[in-house]
Amino acid sequence: MAERLRELGADVSVTARTMPDGYELPDVDVPVLVIHGTEDVNLPIGATADRLKDFLGDLELVRVDGVPHNVPR
């Protein structure tokens, strides 16, 4: 999985640490909702959420314009 993400240009340093052993994104067989801010500099949307469609069959991505990584409370 990490190799495929690298091929797509993603930074896998965080992804590789958070995925349980033996787990692959294509194994997910339920609908997935991802809500992601377009101004996230920690995990840029183009390198993360936008690329999930390559791995998940039933994905709805909601892009929140102007929102950074952490939404202020």
Side-chain angles (χ1 to χ4, degrees):
M1 178 63 166
E3 181 177 326
R4 176 72 176 120
L5 287 169
R6 276 190 207 94
E7 289 172 5
L8 292 170
D11 177 2
V12 298
S13 59
V14 173
T15 305
R17 288 194 312 258
T18 59
M19 295 180 74
D21 289 338
Y23 175 80
E24 297 287 335
L25 283 176
D27 295 337
V28 174
D29 61 357
V30 295
V32 176
L33 171 63
V34 174
I35 302 170
H36 201 289
T38 59
E39 300 302 314
D40 186 340
V41 295
N42 295 20
L43 298 166
I45 196 168
T48 55
D50 283 344
R51 296 177 181 255
L52 287 175
K53 65 185 173 290
D54 295 330
F55 301 98
L56 297 170
D58 192 355
L59 172 72
E60 179 179 353
L61 172 59
V62 176
R63 300 167 69 92
V64 185
D65 290 331
V67 174
H69 186 75
N70 292 318
V71 179
R73 294 180 187 214

mmCIF file of all heavy atoms in Angstrom, residues 1 5 8 23 25-36 45-63:
data_model
loop_
_atom_site.group_PDB
_atom_site.id
_atom_site.type_symbol
_atom_site.label_atom_id
_atom_site.label_comp_id
_atom_site.label_asym_id
_atom_site.label_seq_id
_atom_site.Cartn_x
_atom_site.Cartn_y
_atom_site.Cartn_z
ATOM 1 N N MET A 1 0.813 -1.187 0.000
ATOM 2 C CA MET A 1 0.000 0.000 0.000
ATOM 3 C C MET A 1 0.862 1.259 0.000
ATOM 4 O O MET A 1 0.622 2.158 -0.769
ATOM 5 C CB MET A 1 -0.916 -0.027 1.226
ATOM 6 C CG MET A 1 -1.756 1.183 1.343
ATOM 7 S SD MET A 1 -2.823 1.224 -0.076
ATOM 8 C CE MET A 1 -3.947 2.421 0.429
ATOM 9 N N LEU A 5 1.008 4.385 -2.759
ATOM 10 C CA LEU A 5 0.842 5.796 -2.392
ATOM 11 C C LEU A 5 2.049 6.622 -2.826
ATOM 12 O O LEU A 5 1.904 7.740 -3.311
ATOM 13 C CB LEU A 5 0.612 5.932 -0.889
ATOM 14 C CG LEU A 5 -0.750 5.479 -0.386
ATOM 15 C CD1 LEU A 5 -0.758 5.417 1.133
ATOM 16 C CD2 LEU A 5 -1.847 6.376 -0.897
ATOM 17 N N LEU A 8 1.941 7.513 -6.392
ATOM 18 C CA LEU A 8 1.012 8.610 -6.645
ATOM 19 C C LEU A 8 1.534 9.945 -6.132
ATOM 20 O O LEU A 8 0.892 10.963 -6.271
ATOM 21 C CB LEU A 8 -0.341 8.302 -5.998
ATOM 22 C CG LEU A 8 -1.104 7.155 -6.631
ATOM 23 C CD1 LEU A 8 -2.291 6.767 -5.776
ATOM 24 C CD2 LEU A 8 -1.545 7.522 -8.037
ATOM 25 N N TYR A 23 -3.805 -4.314 6.893
ATOM 26 C CA TYR A 23 -4.949 -3.533 6.420
ATOM 27 C C TYR A 23 -4.589 -2.806 5.135
ATOM 28 O O TYR A 23 -3.532 -2.203 5.032
ATOM 29 C CB TYR A 23 -5.342 -2.531 7.498
ATOM 30 C CG TYR A 23 -6.440 -1.589 7.091
ATOM 31 C CD1 TYR A 23 -7.763 -1.995 7.122
ATOM 32 C CD2 TYR A 23 -6.149 -0.305 6.671
ATOM 33 C CE1 TYR A 23 -8.776 -1.141 6.747
ATOM 34 C CE2 TYR A 23 -7.154 0.558 6.303
ATOM 35 C CZ TYR A 23 -8.469 0.140 6.334
ATOM 36 O OH TYR A 23 -9.459 0.991 5.972
ATOM 37 N N LEU A 25 -6.422 -0.155 2.122
ATOM 38 C CA LEU A 25 -7.590 0.665 1.833
ATOM 39 C C LEU A 25 -8.582 -0.013 0.888
ATOM 40 O O LEU A 25 -9.788 0.082 1.100
ATOM 41 C CB LEU A 25 -7.169 2.026 1.275
ATOM 42 C CG LEU A 25 -6.645 3.016 2.303
ATOM 43 C CD1 LEU A 25 -6.171 4.289 1.609
ATOM 44 C CD2 LEU A 25 -7.693 3.353 3.338
ATOM 45 N N PRO A 26 -8.137 -0.708 -0.154
ATOM 46 C CA PRO A 26 -9.117 -1.363 -1.027
ATOM 47 C C PRO A 26 -9.960 -2.425 -0.310
ATOM 48 O O PRO A 26 -10.988 -2.843 -0.827
ATOM 49 C CB PRO A 26 -8.263 -2.000 -2.120
ATOM 50 C CG PRO A 26 -7.028 -1.178 -2.149
ATOM 51 C CD PRO A 26 -6.791 -0.802 -0.704
ATOM 52 N N ASP A 27 -9.550 -2.868 0.875
ATOM 53 C CA ASP A 27 -10.333 -3.834 1.645
ATOM 54 C C ASP A 27 -11.583 -3.209 2.259
ATOM 55 O O ASP A 27 -12.484 -3.929 2.689
ATOM 56 C CB ASP A 27 -9.493 -4.444 2.779
ATOM 57 C CG ASP A 27 -8.338 -5.282 2.270
ATOM 58 O OD1 ASP A 27 -8.412 -5.764 1.121
ATOM 59 O OD2 ASP A 27 -7.364 -5.448 3.018
ATOM 60 N N VAL A 28 -11.650 -1.890 2.315
ATOM 61 C CA VAL A 28 -12.797 -1.206 2.907
ATOM 62 C C VAL A 28 -13.991 -1.396 1.967
ATOM 63 O O VAL A 28 -13.936 -1.035 0.796
ATOM 64 C CB VAL A 28 -12.506 0.297 3.113
ATOM 65 C CG1 VAL A 28 -13.749 1.029 3.587
ATOM 66 C CG2 VAL A 28 -11.359 0.464 4.090
ATOM 67 N N ASP A 29 -15.062 -1.980 2.498
ATOM 68 C CA ASP A 29 -16.219 -2.267 1.652
ATOM 69 C C ASP A 29 -17.504 -1.602 2.160
ATOM 70 O O ASP A 29 -18.602 -2.104 1.971
ATOM 71 C CB ASP A 29 -16.413 -3.771 1.510
ATOM 72 C CG ASP A 29 -16.678 -4.463 2.838
ATOM 73 O OD1 ASP A 29 -16.648 -3.787 3.880
ATOM 74 O OD2 ASP A 29 -16.916 -5.682 2.827
ATOM 75 N N VAL A 30 -17.333 -0.448 2.799
ATOM 76 C CA VAL A 30 -18.473 0.344 3.264
ATOM 77 C C VAL A 30 -18.313 1.759 2.703
ATOM 78 O O VAL A 30 -17.213 2.173 2.358
ATOM 79 C CB VAL A 30 -18.541 0.393 4.819
ATOM 80 C CG1 VAL A 30 -18.795 -0.994 5.386
ATOM 81 C CG2 VAL A 30 -17.285 0.998 5.406
ATOM 82 N N PRO A 31 -19.402 2.508 2.614
ATOM 83 C CA PRO A 31 -19.292 3.893 2.146
ATOM 84 C C PRO A 31 -18.408 4.715 3.091
ATOM 85 O O PRO A 31 -18.447 4.527 4.307
ATOM 86 C CB PRO A 31 -20.731 4.400 2.182
ATOM 87 C CG PRO A 31 -21.574 3.181 2.152
ATOM 88 C CD PRO A 31 -20.788 2.115 2.858
ATOM 89 N N VAL A 32 -17.612 5.613 2.513
ATOM 90 C CA VAL A 32 -16.694 6.444 3.295
ATOM 91 C C VAL A 32 -16.980 7.916 2.988
ATOM 92 O O VAL A 32 -17.078 8.307 1.826
ATOM 93 C CB VAL A 32 -15.224 6.111 2.959
ATOM 94 C CG1 VAL A 32 -14.277 7.046 3.687
ATOM 95 C CG2 VAL A 32 -14.913 4.662 3.276
ATOM 96 N N LEU A 33 -17.115 8.703 4.056
ATOM 97 C CA LEU A 33 -17.280 10.147 3.931
ATOM 98 C C LEU A 33 -16.015 10.808 4.459
ATOM 99 O O LEU A 33 -15.618 10.578 5.599
ATOM 100 C CB LEU A 33 -18.484 10.632 4.737
ATOM 101 C CG LEU A 33 -18.643 12.156 4.873
ATOM 102 C CD1 LEU A 33 -18.871 12.800 3.503
ATOM 103 C CD2 LEU A 33 -19.779 12.477 5.823
ATOM 104 N N VAL A 34 -15.369 11.612 3.621
ATOM 105 C CA VAL A 34 -14.174 12.353 4.018
ATOM 106 C C VAL A 34 -14.504 13.840 3.906
ATOM 107 O O VAL A 34 -14.956 14.307 2.855
ATOM 108 C CB VAL A 34 -12.962 11.999 3.118
ATOM 109 C CG1 VAL A 34 -11.776 12.888 3.456
ATOM 110 C CG2 VAL A 34 -12.603 10.537 3.257
ATOM 111 N N ILE A 35 -14.282 14.566 4.997
ATOM 112 C CA ILE A 35 -14.478 16.013 5.010
ATOM 113 C C ILE A 35 -13.097 16.627 5.213
ATOM 114 O O ILE A 35 -12.434 16.333 6.201
ATOM 115 C CB ILE A 35 -15.442 16.427 6.139
ATOM 116 C CG1 ILE A 35 -16.787 15.710 5.963
ATOM 117 C CG2 ILE A 35 -15.600 17.940 6.179
ATOM 118 C CD1 ILE A 35 -17.726 15.854 7.129
ATOM 119 N N HIS A 36 -12.677 17.453 4.258
ATOM 120 C CA HIS A 36 -11.289 17.925 4.269
ATOM 121 C C HIS A 36 -11.232 19.397 3.892
ATOM 122 O O HIS A 36 -11.845 19.824 2.909
ATOM 123 C CB HIS A 36 -10.487 17.107 3.256
ATOM 124 C CG HIS A 36 -9.025 17.113 3.501
ATOM 125 N ND1 HIS A 36 -8.249 18.224 3.296
ATOM 126 C CD2 HIS A 36 -8.175 16.138 3.917
ATOM 127 C CE1 HIS A 36 -6.979 17.926 3.572
ATOM 128 N NE2 HIS A 36 -6.912 16.673 3.952
ATOM 129 N N ILE A 45 -4.763 18.594 0.747
ATOM 130 C CA ILE A 45 -5.859 17.829 0.162
ATOM 131 C C ILE A 45 -5.443 17.119 -1.134
ATOM 132 O O ILE A 45 -5.868 16.003 -1.400
ATOM 133 C CB ILE A 45 -7.103 18.729 -0.047
ATOM 134 C CG1 ILE A 45 -8.340 17.879 -0.282
ATOM 135 C CG2 ILE A 45 -6.864 19.763 -1.127
ATOM 136 C CD1 ILE A 45 -9.645 18.656 -0.199
ATOM 137 N N GLY A 46 -4.575 17.741 -1.914
ATOM 138 C CA GLY A 46 -4.130 17.123 -3.163
ATOM 139 C C GLY A 46 -3.260 15.891 -2.970
ATOM 140 O O GLY A 46 -3.182 15.036 -3.839
ATOM 141 N N ALA A 47 -2.604 15.808 -1.826
ATOM 142 C CA ALA A 47 -1.728 14.668 -1.543
ATOM 143 C C ALA A 47 -2.403 13.621 -0.667
ATOM 144 O O ALA A 47 -1.833 12.567 -0.432
ATOM 145 C CB ALA A 47 -0.452 15.150 -0.858
ATOM 146 N N THR A 48 -3.605 13.915 -0.194
ATOM 147 C CA THR A 48 -4.265 12.979 0.724
ATOM 148 C C THR A 48 -5.677 12.664 0.248
ATOM 149 O O THR A 48 -5.896 11.699 -0.472
ATOM 150 C CB THR A 48 -4.279 13.543 2.156
ATOM 151 O OG1 THR A 48 -4.889 14.838 2.151
ATOM 152 C CG2 THR A 48 -2.879 13.647 2.727
ATOM 153 N N ALA A 49 -6.633 13.470 0.628
ATOM 154 C CA ALA A 49 -8.044 13.171 0.375
ATOM 155 C C ALA A 49 -8.362 13.006 -1.112
ATOM 156 O O ALA A 49 -9.117 12.115 -1.488
ATOM 157 C CB ALA A 49 -8.923 14.257 0.987
ATOM 158 N N ASP A 50 -7.794 13.852 -1.968
ATOM 159 C CA ASP A 50 -8.054 13.744 -3.407
ATOM 160 C C ASP A 50 -7.600 12.397 -3.968
ATOM 161 O O ASP A 50 -8.128 11.926 -4.961
ATOM 162 C CB ASP A 50 -7.357 14.862 -4.176
ATOM 163 C CG ASP A 50 -8.068 16.200 -4.059
ATOM 164 O OD1 ASP A 50 -9.249 16.216 -3.653
ATOM 165 O OD2 ASP A 50 -7.438 17.225 -4.367
ATOM 166 N N ARG A 51 -6.639 11.784 -3.357
ATOM 167 C CA ARG A 51 -6.091 10.513 -3.871
ATOM 168 C C ARG A 51 -6.820 9.279 -3.346
ATOM 169 O O ARG A 51 -6.603 8.181 -3.846
ATOM 170 C CB ARG A 51 -4.613 10.428 -3.544
ATOM 171 C CG ARG A 51 -3.849 11.519 -4.273
ATOM 172 C CD ARG A 51 -2.397 11.511 -3.913
ATOM 173 N NE ARG A 51 -1.734 12.576 -4.626
ATOM 174 C CZ ARG A 51 -0.943 12.396 -5.670
ATOM 175 N NH1 ARG A 51 -0.701 11.199 -6.106
ATOM 176 N NH2 ARG A 51 -0.389 13.424 -6.255
ATOM 177 N N LEU A 52 -7.672 9.457 -2.362
ATOM 178 C CA LEU A 52 -8.387 8.310 -1.799
ATOM 179 C C LEU A 52 -9.301 7.634 -2.812
ATOM 180 O O LEU A 52 -9.554 6.438 -2.730
ATOM 181 C CB LEU A 52 -9.181 8.726 -0.568
ATOM 182 C CG LEU A 52 -8.365 9.015 0.680
ATOM 183 C CD1 LEU A 52 -9.275 9.542 1.783
ATOM 184 C CD2 LEU A 52 -7.628 7.774 1.145
ATOM 185 N N LYS A 53 -9.800 8.389 -3.785
ATOM 186 C CA LYS A 53 -10.696 7.801 -4.781
ATOM 187 C C LYS A 53 -10.005 6.681 -5.577
ATOM 188 O O LYS A 53 -10.665 5.820 -6.127
ATOM 189 C CB LYS A 53 -11.248 8.869 -5.707
ATOM 190 C CG LYS A 53 -10.215 9.553 -6.570
ATOM 191 C CD LYS A 53 -10.846 10.682 -7.382
ATOM 192 C CE LYS A 53 -9.808 11.472 -8.125
ATOM 193 N NZ LYS A 53 -8.950 12.292 -7.272
ATOM 194 N N ASP A 54 -8.672 6.699 -5.602
ATOM 195 C CA ASP A 54 -7.927 5.639 -6.289
ATOM 196 C C ASP A 54 -7.940 4.331 -5.505
ATOM 197 O O ASP A 54 -7.592 3.293 -6.045
ATOM 198 C CB ASP A 54 -6.471 6.059 -6.511
ATOM 199 C CG ASP A 54 -6.348 7.236 -7.455
ATOM 200 O OD1 ASP A 54 -7.204 7.380 -8.355
ATOM 201 O OD2 ASP A 54 -5.395 8.022 -7.294
ATOM 202 N N PHE A 55 -8.325 4.385 -4.241
ATOM 203 C CA PHE A 55 -8.259 3.220 -3.369
ATOM 204 C C PHE A 55 -9.612 2.783 -2.815
ATOM 205 O O PHE A 55 -9.773 1.634 -2.408
ATOM 206 C CB PHE A 55 -7.322 3.489 -2.184
ATOM 207 C CG PHE A 55 -5.934 3.824 -2.619
ATOM 208 C CD1 PHE A 55 -5.513 5.138 -2.701
ATOM 209 C CD2 PHE A 55 -5.040 2.824 -2.960
ATOM 210 C CE1 PHE A 55 -4.228 5.448 -3.113
ATOM 211 C CE2 PHE A 55 -3.758 3.120 -3.377
ATOM 212 C CZ PHE A 55 -3.357 4.440 -3.458
ATOM 213 N N LEU A 56 -10.551 3.694 -2.748
ATOM 214 C CA LEU A 56 -11.844 3.400 -2.136
ATOM 215 C C LEU A 56 -12.945 3.479 -3.187
ATOM 216 O O LEU A 56 -13.056 4.475 -3.901
ATOM 217 C CB LEU A 56 -12.147 4.393 -1.009
ATOM 218 C CG LEU A 56 -11.175 4.361 0.161
ATOM 219 C CD1 LEU A 56 -11.426 5.543 1.089
ATOM 220 C CD2 LEU A 56 -11.291 3.051 0.930
ATOM 221 N N GLY A 57 -13.753 2.438 -3.256
ATOM 222 C CA GLY A 57 -14.796 2.396 -4.267
ATOM 223 C C GLY A 57 -15.948 3.345 -3.999
ATOM 224 O O GLY A 57 -16.435 4.030 -4.889
ATOM 225 N N ASP A 58 -16.404 3.409 -2.768
ATOM 226 C CA ASP A 58 -17.577 4.207 -2.435
ATOM 227 C C ASP A 58 -17.153 5.364 -1.533
ATOM 228 O O ASP A 58 -17.240 5.289 -0.311
ATOM 229 C CB ASP A 58 -18.615 3.321 -1.735
ATOM 230 C CG ASP A 58 -19.968 3.993 -1.625
ATOM 231 O OD1 ASP A 58 -20.086 5.180 -2.012
ATOM 232 O OD2 ASP A 58 -20.909 3.339 -1.149
ATOM 233 N N LEU A 59 -16.662 6.429 -2.158
ATOM 234 C CA LEU A 59 -16.111 7.565 -1.425
ATOM 235 C C LEU A 59 -16.870 8.838 -1.770
ATOM 236 O O LEU A 59 -17.084 9.142 -2.948
ATOM 237 C CB LEU A 59 -14.638 7.762 -1.777
ATOM 238 C CG LEU A 59 -13.981 9.034 -1.236
ATOM 239 C CD1 LEU A 59 -13.786 8.934 0.267
ATOM 240 C CD2 LEU A 59 -12.664 9.297 -1.926
ATOM 241 N N GLU A 60 -17.273 9.570 -0.744
ATOM 242 C CA GLU A 60 -17.810 10.918 -0.931
ATOM 243 C C GLU A 60 -16.833 11.875 -0.272
ATOM 244 O O GLU A 60 -16.559 11.765 0.928
ATOM 245 C CB GLU A 60 -19.181 11.068 -0.297
ATOM 246 C CG GLU A 60 -19.740 12.459 -0.472
ATOM 247 C CD GLU A 60 -21.118 12.652 0.129
ATOM 248 O OE1 GLU A 60 -21.723 11.659 0.587
ATOM 249 O OE2 GLU A 60 -21.585 13.807 0.144
ATOM 250 N N LEU A 61 -16.283 12.793 -1.057
ATOM 251 C CA LEU A 61 -15.329 13.767 -0.546
ATOM 252 C C LEU A 61 -16.002 15.135 -0.502
ATOM 253 O O LEU A 61 -16.483 15.634 -1.522
ATOM 254 C CB LEU A 61 -14.084 13.837 -1.436
ATOM 255 C CG LEU A 61 -13.083 14.944 -1.132
ATOM 256 C CD1 LEU A 61 -12.550 14.831 0.296
ATOM 257 C CD2 LEU A 61 -11.941 14.911 -2.135
ATOM 258 N N VAL A 62 -16.046 15.714 0.688
ATOM 259 C CA VAL A 62 -16.573 17.060 0.866
ATOM 260 C C VAL A 62 -15.386 17.982 1.093
ATOM 261 O O VAL A 62 -14.656 17.832 2.070
ATOM 262 C CB VAL A 62 -17.549 17.122 2.072
ATOM 263 C CG1 VAL A 62 -18.008 18.554 2.302
ATOM 264 C CG2 VAL A 62 -18.722 16.183 1.856
ATOM 265 N N ARG A 63 -15.189 18.900 0.166
ATOM 266 C CA ARG A 63 -14.099 19.874 0.259
ATOM 267 C C ARG A 63 -14.653 21.128 0.929
ATOM 268 O O ARG A 63 -15.628 21.700 0.454
ATOM 269 C CB ARG A 63 -13.581 20.193 -1.134
ATOM 270 C CG ARG A 63 -13.043 18.985 -1.872
ATOM 271 C CD ARG A 63 -12.835 19.288 -3.343
ATOM 272 N NE ARG A 63 -11.749 20.213 -3.550
ATOM 273 C CZ ARG A 63 -10.488 19.854 -3.773
ATOM 274 N NH1 ARG A 63 -10.178 18.583 -3.832
ATOM 275 N NH2 ARG A 63 -9.564 20.753 -3.947
#
